[in-house]
Amino acid sequence: MPVVTHDAMPAGTGLPEGTRVAVVHDWLVTYTGAERVLEQILLMYPQADLFAVCDFLPDDQRGFLGGRRPRTSFIQRLPGARRRYRAYLPLMPLAIEQFDLSGYDLVISSSHAVAKGVLTGPDQVHVSYVHTPIRYAWDLQHQYLRESGLDRGFKGWLARYLLHRIRLWDVRTANGVDVFVANSAYIARRIRKAYGRDSVVVPPPVDVEGFAPAPVREDYYLTASRLVPYKRVDLVVSAFARMPGRQLKVIGTGPEFDRIARLAADHSNIELLGYQDGATLAALMGRARAFVFAAEEDFGITPVEAQAAGAPVIAYGRGGARETVVEGRTGLFFDEQTVDALVEGMERFEAVGVSMSAAQCRDNAERFSVQVFRTAFAAVVRRAMAVDDI
């Protein structure tokens, strides 16, 4: 995890002195993309108090909270919550509504599940940064039920009913948000579908300064992510198994690791590196011929990091990658999540990839820097608070 300096408040947040700020996050269990956004919000508004349904962050990942101890809900104390907090999703709408935020002027929620459902009054401003509407309750419900083994039988019907109730709650609580901020145009469309509301697009902050192109690129491809089903690392590995002349390095761990290891077995061109720290990831990105990304992500931070390291990106052409990769200049897309489509995309890249310079990739990544995020998000909050006459 990058070193964070917590005494640096960016100029231009522009709130009146004495503004009372509450920041609400769904849950704190690890430092990933949503927590990078939270980190910057906390740096921008250092006076803010922090609330979360539960907090099980390891001690070595707590630095980005700046010494805060979040106020948590009753979920924190339920049996087995540390390991199975997601099992309490049906109770989380009730839990998030128990936070008393009446003493705050500004409420900022960082939400991919229930945080946007906090209760606020007419004299409070609620700005909600939405990473996505609840995935498993909306358009990904059927995929979630299949992957959880809940697509049939009594448990399946119970799960469908509970998700139906969560959708009703999710729509109702959208009325309590003054301004929606989406992390991509893709998520803005999801917000419009789910809540019937427009949103301002502010891409999440990417630590582009932590990545740099190496003087010489090497002849291997790289993919890196948590090894879970929707990331489709299995697809990348299966495609390279059919291309023995092309080298692939895979960074990441997760529940899919053993299955992916079996797919890579007997293919000497595929190297599984497991977990690697940030410095190693940056170095490997900086030397890679290209970065391969097969997931349909809401935004997708790693393709931007790869471009910051000068690596073109070969990406599945749906979701946030469409907004972060410039086809023909900083990468190219394949149209289906199939081995054949990815292999064909690799062949196209081999034909034209030499024209994609590290400088072009780096320049494109700069659009998503931390400072760009801070400036854009602060402007949204100022407008919502009617501080600026914009």
Side-chain angles (χ1 to χ4, degrees):
M1 195 175 77
V3 175
V4 178
T5 302
H6 290 280
D7 57 0
M9 180 179 174
T13 50
L15 297 184
E17 185 176 351
T19 299
R20 296 162 299 179
V21 182
V23 175
V24 186
H25 194 64
D26 290 302
W27 48 72
L28 291 162
V29 296
T30 189
Y31 180 85
T32 56
E35 287 69 40
R36 297 186 194 198
V37 174
L38 174 64
E39 174 181 17
Q40 294 304 320
I41 292 172
L42 294 176
L43 285 168
M44 294 171 68
Y45 305 100
Q47 76 273 39
D49 292 325
L50 179 59
F51 298 78
V53 166
C54 57
D55 172 18
F56 298 119
L57 272 173
D59 289 342
D60 62 353
Q61 295 185 27
R62 304 192 69 84
F64 76 98
L65 298 182
R68 293 177 181 82
R69 280 288 168 182
R71 303 181 196 181
T72 57
S73 74
F74 64 83
I75 301 289
Q76 182 82 16
R77 299 178 295 279
L78 293 179
R82 177 177 292 274
R83 305 188 76 175
R84 301 186 67 248
Y85 62 93
R86 290 179 187 272
Y88 290 112
L89 179 66
L91 295 178
M92 288 185 184
L94 175 63
I96 206 75
E97 291 178 346
Q98 302 314 303
F99 289 133
D100 181 2
L101 305 181
S102 58
Y104 297 94
D105 306 300
L106 169 65
V107 175
I108 300 172
S109 59
S110 164
S111 186
H112 57 78
V114 298
K116 81 160 202 354
V118 290
L119 302 179
T120 56
D123 295 325
Q124 297 174 288
V125 172
H126 180 185
V127 176
S128 186
Y129 190 97
V130 176
H131 308 278
T132 179
I134 309 175
R135 292 183 185 92
Y136 19 86
W138 289 99
D139 52 318
L140 298 184
Q141 172 188 284
H142 302 295
Q143 177 183 332
Y144 164 73
L145 292 173
R146 284 194 302 272
E147 291 177 355
S148 303
L150 295 173
D151 53 342
R152 59 179 63 86
F154 175 75
K155 287 185 178 180
W157 282 108
L158 179 59
R160 292 171 194 275
Y161 174 74
L162 292 173
L163 291 173
H164 170 70
R165 298 296 301 177
I166 287 173
R167 278 193 295 277
L168 295 177
W169 175 86
D170 200 28
V171 172
R172 177 183 62 76
T173 58
N175 294 324
V177 176
D178 294 289
V179 178
F180 277 104
V181 183
N183 70 355
S184 64
Y186 178 64
I187 292 304
R189 293 193 293 274
R190 270 189 176 165
I191 291 171
R192 164 56 65 178
K193 280 263 187 180
Y195 309 141
R197 295 281 300 277
D198 291 328
S199 52
V200 182
V201 176
V202 178
V206 180
D207 178 25
V208 297
E209 298 307 316
F211 298 82
V216 178
R217 307 207 77 82
E218 298 180 18
D219 195 26
Y220 65 83
Y221 293 86
L222 180 70
T223 192
S225 79
R226 179 161 167 75
L227 302 185
V228 293
Y230 86 94
K231 295 288 190 178
R232 297 311 312 271
V233 176
D234 61 325
L235 172 62
V236 179
V237 169
S238 296
F240 275 81
R242 285 188 19 193
M243 299 181 290
R246 294 172 184 157
Q247 301 297 311
L248 173 70
K249 296 182 186 293
V250 180
I251 292 177
T253 61
E256 289 273 282
F257 185 88
D258 289 343
R259 189 171 80 87
I260 289 168
R262 288 193 295 272
L263 292 174
D266 302 322
H267 298 285
S268 60
N269 62 315
I270 302 172
E271 184 179 6
L272 271 59
L273 301 177
Y275 168 80
Q276 299 293 323
D277 61 26
T280 303
L281 171 65
L284 287 168
M285 281 181 169
R287 299 195 301 268
R289 181 172 175 82
F291 187 80
V292 186
F293 188 72
E296 181 179 350
E297 283 278 23
D298 305 325
F299 175 77
I301 287 177
T302 50
V304 180
E305 292 174 338
Q307 290 172 85
V313 177
I314 302 163
Y316 176 48
R318 291 193 62 182
R322 277 283 178 187
E323 301 169 48
T324 62
V325 178
V326 182
E327 189 159 29
R329 285 180 58 84
T330 72
L332 54 78
F333 301 112
F334 57 96
D335 294 332
E336 296 178 350
Q337 284 179 314
T338 64
V339 170
D340 287 343
L342 177 50
V343 169
E344 189 273 333
M346 292 292 302
E347 291 171 350
R348 284 189 290 116
F349 178 80
E350 290 286 349
V352 303
V354 68
S355 66
M356 300 177 192
S357 73
Q360 288 175 330
C361 294
R362 175 74 190 190
D363 287 347
N364 186 53
E366 292 283 357
R367 297 189 294 132
F368 306 100
S369 71
V370 168
Q371 191 55 53
V372 168
F373 169 84
R374 290 177 173 180
T375 300
F377 188 75
V380 172
V381 172
R382 288 199 303 271
R383 287 195 293 268
M385 296 288 288
V387 172
D388 285 346
D389 184 18
I390 298 177

